[in-house]
Amino acid sequence: MKRIEKGFSQQYMAIQLNISQNVYSINERNIKAVRLERLVKICYILDISPFNIFDEIANINQLP
């Protein structure tokens, strides 16, 4: 969502990360796990804290 809010395309993100757009799409759709190093780079590009990502993941995975 943050990528879209900023108006960044998947292609732009892929170029910044030096990966293909297809690989970025796979990562974004959670088809394949993202390496921590790449996640930190994504956070830097989107100007967000990695801790925000971890908080969101924790909230999604909470049991009722």
Side-chain angles (χ1 to χ4, degrees):
M1 283 196 238
K2 194 62 148 177
R3 173 185 65 77
I4 293 168
E5 285 175 20
K6 292 204 170 264
F8 296 161
S9 67
Q10 286 187 347
Q11 183 65 33
Y12 172 81
M13 294 296 292
I15 291 168
Q16 298 304 308
L17 296 165
N18 199 30
I19 59 175
S20 72
Q21 184 272 327
N22 188 49
V23 169
Y24 182 82
S25 177
I26 288 169
N27 288 160
E28 188 174 86
R29 292 181 290 142
N30 279 330
I31 293 173
K32 187 175 178 186
V34 179
R35 292 188 337 249
L36 182 58
E37 177 185 350
R38 185 173 297 158
L39 179 62
V40 170
K41 288 178 183 179
I42 290 169
C43 289
Y44 178 79
I45 295 164
L46 297 175
D47 193 30
I48 58 175
S49 168
F51 296 110
N52 292 347
I53 301 294
F54 297 135
D55 287 343
E56 287 184 29
I57 292 169
N59 289 336
I60 289 170
N61 291 325
Q62 278 183 338
L63 296 176

PDB file of all heavy atoms in Angstrom, residues 27-44:
ATOM      1  N   ASN A  27       7.771 -10.965  -4.520  1.00  0.00           N
ATOM      2  CA  ASN A  27       8.007 -10.594  -3.129  1.00  0.00           C
ATOM      3  C   ASN A  27       6.827  -9.815  -2.557  1.00  0.00           C
ATOM      4  O   ASN A  27       6.382 -10.085  -1.434  1.00  0.00           O
ATOM      5  CB  ASN A  27       9.267  -9.745  -2.995  1.00  0.00           C
ATOM      6  CG  ASN A  27      10.555 -10.507  -3.201  1.00  0.00           C
ATOM      7  OD1 ASN A  27      11.578  -9.908  -3.471  1.00  0.00           O
ATOM      8  ND2 ASN A  27      10.540 -11.818  -3.057  1.00  0.00           N
ATOM      9  N   GLU A  28       6.316  -8.890  -3.320  1.00  0.00           N
ATOM     10  CA  GLU A  28       5.226  -8.041  -2.836  1.00  0.00           C
ATOM     11  C   GLU A  28       3.953  -8.853  -2.571  1.00  0.00           C
ATOM     12  O   GLU A  28       3.203  -8.542  -1.650  1.00  0.00           O
ATOM     13  CB  GLU A  28       4.952  -6.932  -3.851  1.00  0.00           C
ATOM     14  CG  GLU A  28       3.973  -5.892  -3.353  1.00  0.00           C
ATOM     15  CD  GLU A  28       3.827  -4.724  -4.297  1.00  0.00           C
ATOM     16  OE1 GLU A  28       3.005  -4.813  -5.240  1.00  0.00           O
ATOM     17  OE2 GLU A  28       4.542  -3.715  -4.113  1.00  0.00           O
ATOM     18  N   ARG A  29       3.736  -9.875  -3.365  1.00  0.00           N
ATOM     19  CA  ARG A  29       2.539 -10.697  -3.204  1.00  0.00           C
ATOM     20  C   ARG A  29       2.745 -11.839  -2.210  1.00  0.00           C
ATOM     21  O   ARG A  29       1.873 -12.685  -2.047  1.00  0.00           O
ATOM     22  CB  ARG A  29       2.083 -11.237  -4.558  1.00  0.00           C
ATOM     23  CG  ARG A  29       1.572 -10.131  -5.475  1.00  0.00           C
ATOM     24  CD  ARG A  29       1.106 -10.661  -6.812  1.00  0.00           C
ATOM     25  NE  ARG A  29       2.261 -11.112  -7.586  1.00  0.00           N
ATOM     26  CZ  ARG A  29       2.277 -12.191  -8.361  1.00  0.00           C
ATOM     27  NH1 ARG A  29       1.211 -12.947  -8.469  1.00  0.00           N
ATOM     28  NH2 ARG A  29       3.360 -12.529  -9.031  1.00  0.00           N
ATOM     29  N   ASN A  30       3.879 -11.848  -1.527  1.00  0.00           N
ATOM     30  CA  ASN A  30       4.191 -12.866  -0.519  1.00  0.00           C
ATOM     31  C   ASN A  30       4.224 -14.280  -1.077  1.00  0.00           C
ATOM     32  O   ASN A  30       3.929 -15.239  -0.367  1.00  0.00           O
ATOM     33  CB  ASN A  30       3.221 -12.810   0.664  1.00  0.00           C
ATOM     34  CG  ASN A  30       3.590 -11.745   1.647  1.00  0.00           C
ATOM     35  OD1 ASN A  30       4.755 -11.420   1.798  1.00  0.00           O
ATOM     36  ND2 ASN A  30       2.600 -11.202   2.316  1.00  0.00           N
ATOM     37  N   ILE A  31       4.567 -14.413  -2.344  1.00  0.00           N
ATOM     38  CA  ILE A  31       4.694 -15.736  -2.938  1.00  0.00           C
ATOM     39  C   ILE A  31       6.016 -16.359  -2.481  1.00  0.00           C
ATOM     40  O   ILE A  31       6.106 -17.558  -2.279  1.00  0.00           O
ATOM     41  CB  ILE A  31       4.602 -15.666  -4.475  1.00  0.00           C
ATOM     42  CG1 ILE A  31       3.177 -15.236  -4.864  1.00  0.00           C
ATOM     43  CG2 ILE A  31       4.995 -16.986  -5.118  1.00  0.00           C
ATOM     44  CD1 ILE A  31       2.981 -14.972  -6.328  1.00  0.00           C
ATOM     45  N   LYS A  32       6.999 -15.517  -2.306  1.00  0.00           N
ATOM     46  CA  LYS A  32       8.309 -15.964  -1.849  1.00  0.00           C
ATOM     47  C   LYS A  32       8.786 -14.995  -0.771  1.00  0.00           C
ATOM     48  O   LYS A  32       8.583 -13.787  -0.882  1.00  0.00           O
ATOM     49  CB  LYS A  32       9.284 -15.984  -3.030  1.00  0.00           C
ATOM     50  CG  LYS A  32      10.622 -16.579  -2.711  1.00  0.00           C
ATOM     51  CD  LYS A  32      11.491 -16.672  -3.952  1.00  0.00           C
ATOM     52  CE  LYS A  32      12.847 -17.227  -3.586  1.00  0.00           C
ATOM     53  NZ  LYS A  32      13.755 -17.194  -4.716  1.00  0.00           N
ATOM     54  N   ALA A  33       9.402 -15.519   0.260  1.00  0.00           N
ATOM     55  CA  ALA A  33       9.882 -14.686   1.362  1.00  0.00           C
ATOM     56  C   ALA A  33      10.922 -13.676   0.878  1.00  0.00           C
ATOM     57  O   ALA A  33      11.695 -13.952  -0.043  1.00  0.00           O
ATOM     58  CB  ALA A  33      10.476 -15.558   2.453  1.00  0.00           C
ATOM     59  N   VAL A  34      10.918 -12.532   1.514  1.00  0.00           N
ATOM     60  CA  VAL A  34      11.865 -11.463   1.194  1.00  0.00           C
ATOM     61  C   VAL A  34      13.027 -11.545   2.179  1.00  0.00           C
ATOM     62  O   VAL A  34      12.813 -11.656   3.394  1.00  0.00           O
ATOM     63  CB  VAL A  34      11.192 -10.075   1.314  1.00  0.00           C
ATOM     64  CG1 VAL A  34      12.172  -8.968   1.010  1.00  0.00           C
ATOM     65  CG2 VAL A  34       9.981  -9.995   0.424  1.00  0.00           C
ATOM     66  N   ARG A  35      14.226 -11.507   1.657  1.00  0.00           N
ATOM     67  CA  ARG A  35      15.401 -11.481   2.536  1.00  0.00           C
ATOM     68  C   ARG A  35      15.394 -10.189   3.349  1.00  0.00           C
ATOM     69  O   ARG A  35      14.939  -9.147   2.884  1.00  0.00           O
ATOM     70  CB  ARG A  35      16.685 -11.557   1.715  1.00  0.00           C
ATOM     71  CG  ARG A  35      16.901 -12.872   1.012  1.00  0.00           C
ATOM     72  CD  ARG A  35      18.282 -12.986   0.364  1.00  0.00           C
ATOM     73  NE  ARG A  35      18.928 -11.725   0.069  1.00  0.00           N
ATOM     74  CZ  ARG A  35      19.139 -11.260  -1.164  1.00  0.00           C
ATOM     75  NH1 ARG A  35      18.755 -11.937  -2.210  1.00  0.00           N
ATOM     76  NH2 ARG A  35      19.749 -10.110  -1.336  1.00  0.00           N
ATOM     77  N   LEU A  36      15.909 -10.267   4.559  1.00  0.00           N
ATOM     78  CA  LEU A  36      15.915  -9.118   5.454  1.00  0.00           C
ATOM     79  C   LEU A  36      16.631  -7.926   4.820  1.00  0.00           C
ATOM     80  O   LEU A  36      16.162  -6.790   4.906  1.00  0.00           O
ATOM     81  CB  LEU A  36      16.564  -9.488   6.789  1.00  0.00           C
ATOM     82  CG  LEU A  36      16.587  -8.391   7.843  1.00  0.00           C
ATOM     83  CD1 LEU A  36      15.175  -7.902   8.160  1.00  0.00           C
ATOM     84  CD2 LEU A  36      17.278  -8.895   9.096  1.00  0.00           C
ATOM     85  N   GLU A  37      17.737  -8.180   4.153  1.00  0.00           N
ATOM     86  CA  GLU A  37      18.497  -7.104   3.504  1.00  0.00           C
ATOM     87  C   GLU A  37      17.623  -6.366   2.486  1.00  0.00           C
ATOM     88  O   GLU A  37      17.618  -5.131   2.441  1.00  0.00           O
ATOM     89  CB  GLU A  37      19.736  -7.685   2.814  1.00  0.00           C
ATOM     90  CG  GLU A  37      20.552  -6.656   2.060  1.00  0.00           C
ATOM     91  CD  GLU A  37      21.711  -7.296   1.291  1.00  0.00           C
ATOM     92  OE1 GLU A  37      21.990  -8.490   1.486  1.00  0.00           O
ATOM     93  OE2 GLU A  37      22.306  -6.569   0.480  1.00  0.00           O
ATOM     94  N   ARG A  38      16.858  -7.107   1.698  1.00  0.00           N
ATOM     95  CA  ARG A  38      15.985  -6.483   0.703  1.00  0.00           C
ATOM     96  C   ARG A  38      14.846  -5.727   1.388  1.00  0.00           C
ATOM     97  O   ARG A  38      14.474  -4.641   0.967  1.00  0.00           O
ATOM     98  CB  ARG A  38      15.436  -7.520  -0.263  1.00  0.00           C
ATOM     99  CG  ARG A  38      14.612  -6.873  -1.374  1.00  0.00           C
ATOM    100  CD  ARG A  38      14.196  -7.856  -2.427  1.00  0.00           C
ATOM    101  NE  ARG A  38      15.376  -8.405  -3.087  1.00  0.00           N
ATOM    102  CZ  ARG A  38      15.379  -9.554  -3.742  1.00  0.00           C
ATOM    103  NH1 ARG A  38      14.294 -10.281  -3.830  1.00  0.00           N
ATOM    104  NH2 ARG A  38      16.474  -9.988  -4.322  1.00  0.00           N
ATOM    105  N   LEU A  39      14.311  -6.296   2.454  1.00  0.00           N
ATOM    106  CA  LEU A  39      13.232  -5.635   3.183  1.00  0.00           C
ATOM    107  C   LEU A  39      13.689  -4.284   3.728  1.00  0.00           C
ATOM    108  O   LEU A  39      12.973  -3.292   3.628  1.00  0.00           O
ATOM    109  CB  LEU A  39      12.736  -6.521   4.322  1.00  0.00           C
ATOM    110  CG  LEU A  39      11.620  -5.942   5.182  1.00  0.00           C
ATOM    111  CD1 LEU A  39      10.371  -5.681   4.343  1.00  0.00           C
ATOM    112  CD2 LEU A  39      11.311  -6.870   6.338  1.00  0.00           C
ATOM    113  N   VAL A  40      14.898  -4.236   4.250  1.00  0.00           N
ATOM    114  CA  VAL A  40      15.439  -2.972   4.764  1.00  0.00           C
ATOM    115  C   VAL A  40      15.591  -1.960   3.627  1.00  0.00           C
ATOM    116  O   VAL A  40      15.261  -0.782   3.787  1.00  0.00           O
ATOM    117  CB  VAL A  40      16.779  -3.208   5.503  1.00  0.00           C
ATOM    118  CG1 VAL A  40      17.468  -1.896   5.837  1.00  0.00           C
ATOM    119  CG2 VAL A  40      16.539  -4.026   6.766  1.00  0.00           C
ATOM    120  N   LYS A  41      16.047  -2.415   2.466  1.00  0.00           N
ATOM    121  CA  LYS A  41      16.178  -1.513   1.314  1.00  0.00           C
ATOM    122  C   LYS A  41      14.808  -0.997   0.868  1.00  0.00           C
ATOM    123  O   LYS A  41      14.660   0.188   0.533  1.00  0.00           O
ATOM    124  CB  LYS A  41      16.871  -2.222   0.148  1.00  0.00           C
ATOM    125  CG  LYS A  41      18.348  -2.454   0.367  1.00  0.00           C
ATOM    126  CD  LYS A  41      18.964  -3.196  -0.814  1.00  0.00           C
ATOM    127  CE  LYS A  41      20.422  -3.491  -0.584  1.00  0.00           C
ATOM    128  NZ  LYS A  41      21.019  -4.221  -1.718  1.00  0.00           N
ATOM    129  N   ILE A  42      13.818  -1.862   0.866  1.00  0.00           N
ATOM    130  CA  ILE A  42      12.461  -1.443   0.501  1.00  0.00           C
ATOM    131  C   ILE A  42      11.970  -0.374   1.467  1.00  0.00           C
ATOM    132  O   ILE A  42      11.406   0.648   1.053  1.00  0.00           O
ATOM    133  CB  ILE A  42      11.503  -2.657   0.468  1.00  0.00           C
ATOM    134  CG1 ILE A  42      11.844  -3.555  -0.724  1.00  0.00           C
ATOM    135  CG2 ILE A  42      10.045  -2.202   0.406  1.00  0.00           C
ATOM    136  CD1 ILE A  42      11.147  -4.910  -0.705  1.00  0.00           C
ATOM    137  N   CYS A  43      12.200  -0.592   2.752  1.00  0.00           N
ATOM    138  CA  CYS A  43      11.780   0.394   3.755  1.00  0.00           C
ATOM    139  C   CYS A  43      12.478   1.733   3.525  1.00  0.00           C
ATOM    140  O   CYS A  43      11.857   2.793   3.641  1.00  0.00           O
ATOM    141  CB  CYS A  43      12.074  -0.121   5.160  1.00  0.00           C
ATOM    142  SG  CYS A  43      11.001  -1.471   5.664  1.00  0.00           S
ATOM    143  N   TYR A  44      13.764   1.684   3.193  1.00  0.00           N
ATOM    144  CA  TYR A  44      14.510   2.911   2.923  1.00  0.00           C
ATOM    145  C   TYR A  44      13.913   3.653   1.728  1.00  0.00           C
ATOM    146  O   TYR A  44      13.702   4.863   1.783  1.00  0.00           O
ATOM    147  CB  TYR A  44      15.985   2.581   2.677  1.00  0.00           C
ATOM    148  CG  TYR A  44      16.812   3.791   2.345  1.00  0.00           C
ATOM    149  CD1 TYR A  44      17.243   4.649   3.341  1.00  0.00           C
ATOM    150  CD2 TYR A  44      17.168   4.072   1.027  1.00  0.00           C
ATOM    151  CE1 TYR A  44      17.990   5.780   3.033  1.00  0.00           C
ATOM    152  CE2 TYR A  44      17.916   5.191   0.712  1.00  0.00           C
ATOM    153  CZ  TYR A  44      18.322   6.043   1.723  1.00  0.00           C
ATOM    154  OH  TYR A  44      19.054   7.161   1.411  1.00  0.00           O
TER     155      TYR A  44
END
